Amino acid sequence: MAWIKTVEYASASGKLKKLYDRLKGAGPVERIDNIMMVHSLRPHSMEGHMALYKNVLHHSGNQVPKWFLEVLGVWVSSLNDCGYCVEHHFAGLQQLLGDEPRGLAIRAAIEARMPETAPLEPAQILAMGYARKLTEAPASVSEDDVAALRAAGVEDGEILEINQVTAYFSYANRTVLGLGCSTRGDVLGLSPNNSENSDDWGHT
């Protein structure tokens, strides 16, 4: 599942076992996504990753719809050629959106690198343009890009959310791609959906 040694749930102990128990949630099924298991030799690294992920993508304080944050995650992951994150987060996107044809149309636009053809609002398409620029040429992003989002009706706090989700997925993509993490054994679409409690990491 990765190019480095990982510790399976059954062999975990100490802090790693405690973190795994938080990740798998209630019930007898020992489901630990490979992107988290790849941190198993350094549990503190896993803890940092999960805290960032939960607060950036799954927090009740966010105002951008979660399904669109997932769109951005799929988009950034596609730009970075990270199939692992594309598949996981497209499954999550479809669950949240509840509209399979629309989700497939969004994915088709992403794969064609033509977000302007996606069934999205103009401000959301503009956000995808910002995310693309930040992903592919971060030093080229300027205040004008932020001003354009604001002019389209995106509030500054929402701009921050878009920025953070874009930045997080570039980090996650590089974690996966740099360590050879695969989806083998994973259940696609699981996520820590209890947005009211940032300490609840249980995946459902």
Side-chain angles (χ1 to χ4, degrees), residues 73-104:
V74 174
W75 174 228
V76 171
S77 300
S78 179
L79 293 171
N80 284 324
D81 292 323
C82 181
Y84 180 97
C85 291
V86 167
E87 296 306 326
H88 263 283
H89 290 276
F90 180 69
L93 161 63
Q94 286 288 58
Q95 291 173 16
L96 291 166
L97 192 58
D99 184 340
E100 184 177 4
R102 187 181 181 198
L104 291 171

Side-chain angles (χ1 to χ4, degrees), residues 4 33 64-65 80 84 87-88 106 110 112-113 119 124 129 141 188:
I4 62 172
D33 284 348
V64 175
N80 284 324
Y84 180 97
E87 296 306 326
H88 263 283
I106 292 170
I110 286 173
R113 299 291 193 267
Q124 293 171 333
V141 178
L188 300 180

Side-chain angles (χ1 to χ4, degrees), residues 95-166:
Q95 291 173 16
L96 291 166
L97 192 58
D99 184 340
E100 184 177 4
R102 187 181 181 198
L104 291 171
I106 292 170
R107 180 162 184 169
I110 286 173
E111 290 177 348
R113 299 291 193 267
M114 296 176 63
E116 66 277 7
T117 66
L120 297 168
E121 297 296 324
Q124 293 171 333
I125 292 172
L126 195 64
M128 291 182 74
Y130 169 86
R132 182 175 198 166
K133 197 170 185 181
L134 185 59
T135 300
E136 296 183 335
S140 71
V141 178
S142 71
E143 188 174 358
D144 289 343
D145 296 304
V146 171
L149 286 167
R150 190 183 294 124
V154 185
E155 297 179 357
D156 281 23
E158 295 171 328
I159 294 171
L160 175 61
E161 290 178 42
I162 292 164
N163 170 275
Q164 288 297 285
V165 166
T166 300

